[in-house]
Amino acid sequence: MPTSEMTSIEDVPVTTKVKMDSDEELLASLGYRQELKRDFSLLQLLGLSFSILGVVQSITSVLVYALPYGGAVGLVWGWATCCVFVMTIAFAMAELASSAPTSGGLYYWTFKYSSPRYRMVASWVVGYVNSVGYIAGASGLEFALSVQILAAVSIGTDGTYIPTTGQTFGVFCALLLLHSLIASLATSTLAKIQPYSITLNILLFVALLIALPVATPPEFKNSASFAFGNFENLSLWPSGFAFMLSWLAPAWTMGGIDSGVHISEEVKNASVNVPRTIIVSTALGCVLGWALNIALAFNMGPDTAAILSDPVGQPMVTILLNSFGKRGALAVWSFIILTVNLSAVDLLMAASRQSFAFSRDGALPLSRLLYKINGTTGTPVNCVIFCAFGAMLLGLLSFAGPVAIGAIFSMGVVCQYISYSVPIAARFVGGNTFMPGSFYMGKLSAPVAYVALLFMAFTVLVLLFPTNPGPTSADMNYTVVVVGGIISLCLTYYFFPVYGGRHWFTGPVKTTRSVHSKSDSLDEKEMIGE
């Protein structure tokens, strides 16, 4: 439990319109001292954010959640519709990131702009939901990668090898271990990887966009009327609602909009480069993803049900096999697997920085252990391990069946949208003054934010529905159970008598005594539990 002398950032100004002398001074004006190394440039941060979006690899992972709800129309127009609204989220988030670029991001903004009556509990819930959302995202991506690797083995054995759930989980755990080791490297090393990552992602996209229509046999080519107008509802929901369920694919792909925010304390010129990255990476993901979906709609063949029922279990694999044959499909698939590995490392890195920031403010269990910088790498290695372990625990849901593991994808989006919505709304209804940074939309800020909020609220409700009406335990959507359980647990922890967060949590704490002081040591921060 904290001492009564803990300093809150409540009275620390968010920022000013006067240009700061350095990123360190700007961070100090937010109440935090510089602890991580700023080795990320704009290009490197863009590489990380775009890698987390991962157009080709993300679409590959969630294609199975798009095709049943509209077929080609869900693939093309479901993506386009969703992305229009996703961009409003990006713009709203970019304004907040420009104003206060700190790794805590969402829960920091929630505390700063919420009314005094609700700021503590709101910041607490957003911090937990955002942390769990990132861990869920990492878990979902790692599990998708394990499925993709074993799908390659199935292709190589002509379908004679069919992986068991236990084998998939074993590969999943091995990948988490590998990616934890890489994500724990020095910031400078991780930053140097990013230009190669974004180059590989773009080249893979361009190669697939060109090769797919060239290599696809005539029997698998579709007409323009099919690609843009063939609606197939393979669920039991009404067609309109089924179309909206197809939004899970773009919403999950375009997830991690705030990833750059959590790296902001390792970025040069963060108040400018972080909002730029949010907007550019999201826009690139939306446009390139739409182009790839159109290419798939033209070259996936007319039998959507056959694609979904293929024993390989990966619709993208089936499409690639039909277009390129076994050897060609394996070649493309190997590059997809490589890019997913890079995405998984970056996502785990972003998740660890969120956990680091939240433990810095003493809110997480074991905060004293988590809030440590490794002396060799200069990175929060303990937080990387913490996030990987949490992702592994979520991966155990795979033993409950495919519907349960699908809940990991849904809960990643639901958790993100909940944690995005609160600070965006608090900025306008919390009664506190917002001081804009370098990126500011002026009179358009409020309309854009309100559209984003309505879209996120609606999408969260849609994604809580089961795959079909009248669900049984086998096809129940467990997202509502898992997310509801997470929120219930964090609220129970907050309101727990004597030891609960309400008795000691004061929001983000001040770790530097003044904007210009650089003499404070890590030991001068009074942490929860000390």
Side-chain angles (χ1 to χ4, degrees):
M1 294 177 63
T3 67
S4 59
E5 299 175 357
M6 183 187 295
T7 306
S8 170
I9 57 87
E10 181 173 345
D11 297 322
V12 178
V14 175
T15 186
T16 67
K17 288 190 177 181
V18 179
K19 184 178 180 180
M20 306 297 292
D21 293 331
S22 67
D23 285 301
E24 187 173 342
E25 286 192 46
L26 176 56
L27 184 62
S29 76
L30 304 179
Y32 298 121
R33 71 189 302 274
Q34 186 70 48
E35 298 174 63
L36 300 170
K37 296 180 180 179
R38 292 187 182 271
D39 289 321
F40 272 81
S41 65
L42 173 60
L43 177 62
Q44 290 166 335
L45 183 63
L46 181 61
L48 180 141
S49 297
F50 189 74
S51 175
I52 290 176
L53 292 180
V55 173
V56 176
Q57 57 268 40
S58 292
I59 290 176
T60 296
S61 301
V62 294
L63 194 60
V64 68
Y65 299 110
L67 288 177
Y69 305 110
V73 167
L75 199 62
V76 175
W77 298 116
W79 181 282
T81 304
C82 184
C83 282
V84 170
F85 295 106
V86 166
M87 284 306 302
T88 65
I89 304 173
F91 285 124
M93 294 287 291
E95 283 195 323
L96 290 167
S98 179
S99 174
T102 171
S103 295
L106 303 173
Y107 75 86
Y108 181 100
W109 304 332
T110 297
F111 180 87
K112 195 66 187 178
Y113 297 120
S114 295
S115 68
R117 182 177 181 181
Y118 301 109
R119 62 175 27 150
M120 301 297 182
V121 65
S123 177
W124 175 278
V125 171
V126 167
Y128 269 97
V129 171
N130 191 219
S131 298
V132 173
Y134 262 91
I135 292 173
S139 182
L141 187 58
E142 297 282 7
F143 194 84
L145 176 57
S146 65
V147 171
Q148 290 164 5
I149 290 174
L150 294 178
V153 179
S154 294
I155 297 173
T157 59
D158 296 319
T160 58
Y161 170 75
I162 300 177
T164 65
T165 301
Q167 291 168 339
T168 304
F169 184 76
V171 174
F172 166 80
C173 291
L175 290 170
L176 274 172
L177 177 60
L178 172 64
H179 296 150
S180 297
L181 294 173
I182 300 173
S184 298
L185 296 174
T187 301
S188 58
T189 302
L190 293 169
K192 290 174 183 176
I193 295 173
Q194 305 312 318
Y196 299 101
S197 178
I198 192 172
T199 301
L200 181 60
N201 272 279
I202 295 295
L203 288 177
L204 177 61
F205 164 78
V206 172
L208 199 54
L209 201 67
I210 294 173
L212 197 59
V214 172
T216 301
E219 63 267 26
F220 291 109
K221 286 187 176 293
N222 297 319
S223 64
S225 60
F226 180 95
F228 293 111
N230 185 68
F231 186 89
E232 287 184 80
N233 180 11
L234 301 180
S235 74
L236 299 178
W237 288 110
S239 295
F241 189 76
F243 176 77
M244 290 182 286
L245 286 174
S246 72
W247 293 355
L248 172 60
W252 191 83
T253 302
M254 294 298 112
I257 289 175
D258 62 323
S259 59
V261 174
H262 300 301
I263 313 297
S264 60
E265 294 179 30
E266 298 165 81
V267 180
K268 301 168 186 175
N269 197 17
S271 64
V272 174
N273 288 337
V274 172
R276 283 180 179 174
T277 296
I278 291 173
I279 295 170
V280 173
S281 63
T282 306
L284 271 176
C286 288
V287 173
L288 299 186
W290 193 50
L292 180 59
N293 279 331
I294 291 174
L296 290 173
F298 270 100
N299 298 280
M300 69 180 188
D303 195 344
T304 306
I307 295 173
L308 291 169
S309 61
D310 191 285
V312 175
Q314 284 280 303
M316 181 67 94
V317 173
T318 302
I319 294 172
L320 294 178
L321 281 170
N322 292 339
S323 296
F324 299 112
K326 178 180 173 180
R327 296 180 64 180
L330 279 173
V332 174
W333 199 244
S334 63
F335 281 101
I336 291 176
I337 288 174
L338 177 58
T339 57
V340 179
N341 274 279
L342 295 171
S343 298
V345 170
D346 288 339
L347 187 56
L348 190 57
M349 178 186 175
S352 70
R353 280 15 176 210
Q354 161 61 22
S355 295
F356 170 78
F358 207 34
S359 64
R360 174 174 60 188
D361 294 318
L364 285 175
L366 304 175
S367 283
R368 293 181 62 183
L369 176 63
L370 295 175
Y371 178 51
K372 290 184 181 297
I373 301 295
N374 184 275
T376 302
T377 65
T379 55
V381 174
N382 289 357
C383 288
V384 175
I385 297 171
F386 171 77
C387 291
F389 181 72
M392 186 271 291
L393 292 179
L394 286 175
L396 291 172
L397 284 172
S398 61
F399 291 98
V403 175
I405 197 67
I408 295 179
F409 289 92
S410 296
M411 73 174 286
V413 177
V414 171
C415 286
Q416 285 180 352
Y417 280 7
I418 291 173
S419 56
Y420 293 170
S421 297
V422 177
I424 292 174
R427 173 191 161 185
F428 294 97
V429 302
N432 293 294
T433 303
F434 175 76
M435 295 295 293
S438 60
F439 177 75
Y440 181 54
M441 292 183 290
K443 293 181 179 180
L444 290 176
S445 293
V448 168
Y450 291 144
V451 170
L453 288 169
L454 289 172
F455 168 73
M456 287 189 286
F458 180 74
T459 302
V460 165
L461 290 175
V462 169
L463 295 182
L464 295 180
F465 278 80
T467 53
N468 286 301
T472 64
S473 59
D475 57 5
M476 169 69 178
N477 185 345
Y478 291 95
T479 304
V480 64
V481 177
V482 178
V483 175
I486 291 166
I487 295 175
S488 297
L489 285 174
C490 80
L491 286 174
T492 300
Y493 184 26
Y494 183 81
F495 289 107
F496 197 81
V498 183
Y499 300 103
R502 67 179 300 185
H503 300 287
W504 44 261
F505 181 67
T506 59
V509 298
K510 186 178 179 182
T511 62
T512 183
R513 283 173 166 70
S514 70
V515 170
H516 299 286
S517 173
K518 298 182 182 179
S519 61
D520 297 4
S521 69
L522 288 176
D523 294 334
E524 289 176 316
K525 177 185 181 291
E526 297 167 357
M527 289 193 53
I528 291 182
E530 294 185 345

